[in-house]
Amino acid sequence: MTSSAAHPAEVLLGAQARAHAIPVCDHYSGVEVRMRKSLQLQQELLAEFGHCVFDVTLDCEDGAPVGQEREHAMLVARLAREAGAGARVAARVHTVDHPAFAQDMAIIAGEAGQHLCHIMLPKVETVDDVLAAERALEAAGASHLPLHALIESPAAVHRAFEIAAHPRIQSLSFGLMDFVSAHGGAIPASGMTSTGQFEHPLVVRAKLEISAACHANGKVPSHCVVTEFSDPDAMQAAAGRAARQFGYTRMWSIHPAQIRPILAAFAPEGAEIARASRIISAAIQADWAPISEEGVLHDRASYRYFWQVLERAHQTGRMLPAEAQGWFAKAETTFT
């Protein structure tokens, strides 16, 4: 059997294929009514696009009322178990040094681990935090679950490459609000706005460090929130800058109105999708040997790029050319 019989993601991305397959939008909610509405919306968009286009992360860190952490964890586990077919549900637990952390992991990962796509760890400072979470997953019988880490301090940014290198980590997210407040007023409040966060040098540096750490280790960089949730234009503009200028391939949503602008901002243009499909089809016919397309040489390096264009098109719900649709019908069962 030649390599042309294998799935393009296996041929071109290898071990990175599974990480690259996750949706470009991660939607957060922590209050029961909003968590239920988020899961309902996920099912509606799943029906519209034919596959899951955003993750729903059920939040314990900011969602659990003080003193009711156990009850909230049980609610999160129950909602994850009850999620519809094709759902992608995650949970953000408390920090590893919080008294409720072990309880969160035991209840959520232990009782709903088979229904989760990952666990999000807030305020990760060192690899030791990842190791503690890994041990908690193993104790809960959920050692299959990937971990996502939220980088929220200057020291954590400094260690981003080391954290991203851990094999259990699938994605790093940037925690803008805590990062700015960790500077004791040295970064003005404008550094938390949809435009200012792309202009202040310390914030820009942190974004780039996290993105670079992820790409160096085959992980997914996830961009921070935009708090102006009532302004879809600001949301889409920020998402576009995160994707085009800072190398992010995923972004947080904190309001349902932000989901479609994120999908649109991270989607490739129609002409690029059509070109990518032509090139990958020709590469398969050539058994992945170099080809010429409109007088331009392409080999595995450019094939990898154009396959990732098709992945982003699929992840963002864009219509794929007929010849490309079959690759993603197979990918739904192989890589997600």
Side-chain angles (χ1 to χ4, degrees), residues 132-313:
E134 186 174 43
R135 290 192 295 270
L137 283 180
E138 291 170 354
S143 58
H144 64 286
L145 279 176
L147 293 171
H148 291 199
L150 186 51
I151 305 299
E152 304 183 66
S153 74
V157 169
H158 177 71
R159 303 183 187 103
F161 278 79
E162 184 181 0
I163 295 168
H166 191 282
R168 185 61 64 91
I169 292 292
Q170 185 181 56
S171 174
L172 296 185
S173 293
F174 177 45
L176 171 66
M177 316 297 280
D178 281 277
F179 179 81
V180 170
S181 63
H183 284 77
I187 301 175
S190 61
M192 296 184 283
T193 65
S194 60
T195 55
Q197 64 175 281
F198 294 99
E199 296 169 356
H200 194 281
L202 286 174
V203 181
V204 167
R205 176 181 175 272
K207 288 178 187 283
L208 293 174
E209 286 290 306
I210 292 168
S211 177
C214 286
H215 290 298
N217 289 283
K219 309 300 172 67
V220 176
S222 186
H223 195 263
C224 57
V225 302
V226 169
T227 56
E228 299 98 319
F229 58 81
S230 62
D231 187 344
D233 292 335
M235 177 70 234
Q236 190 162 337
R241 293 189 72 178
R244 293 188 299 271
Q245 299 176 13
F246 288 79
Y248 282 80
T249 57
R250 180 170 161 98
M251 188 166 181
W252 285 38
S253 160
I254 55 171
H255 190 277
Q258 295 183 327
I259 294 171
R260 288 185 187 271
I262 290 173
L263 295 178
F266 280 83
E269 297 291 334
E272 190 176 22
I273 296 170
R275 185 184 183 208
S277 183
R278 290 196 307 270
I279 289 172
I280 295 299
S281 295
I284 291 173
Q285 291 298 315
D287 200 18
W288 304 106
I291 64 166
S292 173
E293 186 256 351
E294 297 182 353
V296 176
L297 176 68
H298 293 285
D299 59 14
R300 288 204 182 205
S302 55
Y303 297 159
R304 187 175 299 113
Y305 169 81
F306 286 109
W307 172 252
Q308 290 165 345
V309 168
L310 294 177
E311 280 194 323
R312 290 200 309 278

